[in-house]
């Protein structure tokens, strides 16, 4: 709690650093690290005067921590001296950007899923992909980089796929239309070690997509799920 040094009592996101420390993103108090052994809290000097509101997601890529905020874009903090921070609050004229999810891909890029744009950061530079001009690609709650470096994301219209090998054309391909699935809402994505893409939904169970044929297998409470809400998916070896 704040009595123990936390900058805020409401924690929105936790991210493991190593075996004894964790990053924490707060509703109002910014970001800090928590030491499991000493129970000490450290606030990076570069963001000690936090003014960017709620932290929705955290990710470490290379030597930089990225924080996605509720309405102030993305804050990047260097993890090596001189520990500078950068605020990306305006993207091509788009202000007050809400960042729902952050993702690091196999090429070191950082992807930002927002309500109305999809952003990519190669290093320190941010670029807005062409999808941001199409309202069909708004409200992105989940994003995945697969084992070949391609990017999948979901929104109110279905599941989409970006082939990163076609560097000159980032136009997403629609893999699944929610018009065919009664307005199903896909809120989590995962790829297992066999290449299958798993889709978690809000109220409609779990779907699995075959990597080659794109055939879809559906799982529900009748197949052993506790309920139809799949908020997050992860796995280990042959288990999901």
């Amino acid at each position: 709690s704040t009595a123990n040094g936390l900058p805020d009592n409401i924690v929105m996101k936790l991210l493991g650093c190593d075996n004894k420390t964790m990053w924490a993103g707060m509703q109002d108090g910014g970001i800090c690290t928590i030491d499991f052994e000493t129970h000490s809290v450290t606030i990076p000097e570069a963001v000690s005067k936090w003014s960017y509101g709620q932290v929705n997601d955290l990710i470490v890529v290379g030597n930089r921590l990225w924080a996605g905020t509720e309405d102030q874009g993305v804050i990047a903090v260097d993890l090596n001296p001189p520990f500078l921070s950068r605020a990306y609050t305006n993207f091509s004229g788009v202000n007050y950007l809400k960042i729902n999810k952050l993702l690091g891909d196999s090429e070191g890029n950082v992807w930002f899923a927002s309500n109305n744009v999809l952003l990519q950061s190669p290093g320190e530079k941010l670029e807005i992909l062409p999808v941001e001009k199409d309202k069909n690609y708004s409200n992105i709650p989940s994003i995945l980089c697969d084992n070949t470096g391609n990017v999948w994301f979901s929104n109110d219209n279905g599941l989409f796929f970006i082939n990163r090998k076609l560097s000159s054309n980032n136009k997403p391909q629609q893999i699944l239309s929610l018009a065919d699935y009664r307005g199903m809402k896909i809120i989590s994505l995962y790829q297992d070690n066999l290449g299958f893409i798993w889709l978690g939904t809000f109220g409609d169970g779990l779907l699995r997509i075959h990597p080659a044929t794109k055939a879809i297998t559906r799982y529900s409470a009748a197949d052993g799920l506790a309920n139809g809400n799949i908020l997050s998916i992860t796995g280990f070896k042959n288990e999901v």
Side-chain angles (χ1 to χ4, degrees):
S1 68
T2 53
N4 305 106
L6 288 179
D8 192 344
N9 280 326
I10 302 178
V11 179
M12 304 301 299
K13 178 68 179 182
L14 293 173
L15 175 69
C17 302
D18 49 41
N19 291 331
K20 69 168 190 173
T21 57
M22 175 175 288
W23 286 100
M26 307 296 176
Q27 184 179 58
D28 295 309
I31 56 179
C32 66
T33 59
I34 303 170
D35 190 302
F36 300 144
E37 295 180 351
T38 65
H39 303 290
S40 61
V41 175
T42 302
I43 302 174
E45 179 63 28
V47 288
S48 60
K49 298 180 180 179
W50 185 265
S51 60
Y52 305 106
Q54 178 173 305
V55 176
N56 289 336
D57 203 10
L58 295 169
I59 189 172
V60 172
V61 177
N63 295 314
R64 182 167 295 164
L65 172 74
W66 300 82
T69 70
E70 178 69 15
D71 56 14
Q72 294 292 323
V74 181
I75 313 303
V77 182
D78 292 339
L79 300 180
N80 290 333
F83 304 107
L84 300 176
S85 67
R86 299 167 180 81
Y88 300 98
T89 58
N90 181 296
F91 303 96
S92 297
V94 180
N95 293 307
Y96 309 111
L97 196 63
K98 177 180 180 179
I99 303 298
N100 297 318
K101 190 70 177 177
L102 300 172
L103 169 77
D105 68 20
S106 59
E107 297 179 358
N109 300 309
V110 182
W111 293 75
F112 313 111
S114 178
N115 278 358
N116 51 11
V117 292
L118 182 62
L119 305 170
Q120 179 200 20
S121 168
E124 297 183 0
K125 180 181 177 183
L126 292 174
E127 65 171 302
I128 295 182
L129 300 183
V131 300
E132 60 98 6
K133 296 181 180 180
D134 191 327
K135 65 181 180 180
N136 289 327
Y137 304 125
S138 62
N139 299 321
I140 300 172
S142 187
I143 187 169
L144 167 75
C145 179
D146 68 23
N147 57 19
T148 62
N150 297 311
V151 173
W152 302 69
F153 68 91
S154 63
N155 64 15
D156 294 341
N157 296 294
L159 179 70
F160 296 84
F161 169 86
I162 298 177
N163 189 336
R164 296 296 293 155
K165 295 179 181 179
L166 301 176
S167 58
S168 62
N169 179 14
N170 282 317
K171 183 174 178 60
Q173 307 168 39
Q174 188 165 23
I175 302 299
L176 184 152
S177 171
L178 294 190
D180 300 328
Y181 284 83
R182 300 176 290 102
M184 177 185 294
K185 187 173 181 63
I186 301 168
I187 56 176
S188 56
L189 296 170
Y190 173 74
Q191 184 180 37
D192 65 23
N193 61 353
L194 297 178
F196 288 92
I197 304 296
W198 295 79
L199 286 60
T201 73
F202 189 76
D204 288 294
L206 189 65
L207 283 75
R208 187 188 70 174
I209 299 180
H210 192 285
T213 66
K214 300 299 187 291
I216 297 174
T217 303
R218 189 168 177 177
Y219 301 90
S220 66
D223 301 295
L225 296 180
N227 56 57
N229 298 322
I230 312 297
L231 305 183
S232 181
I233 310 172
T234 190
F236 180 72
K237 295 184 178 179
N238 294 324
E239 298 183 350
V240 174

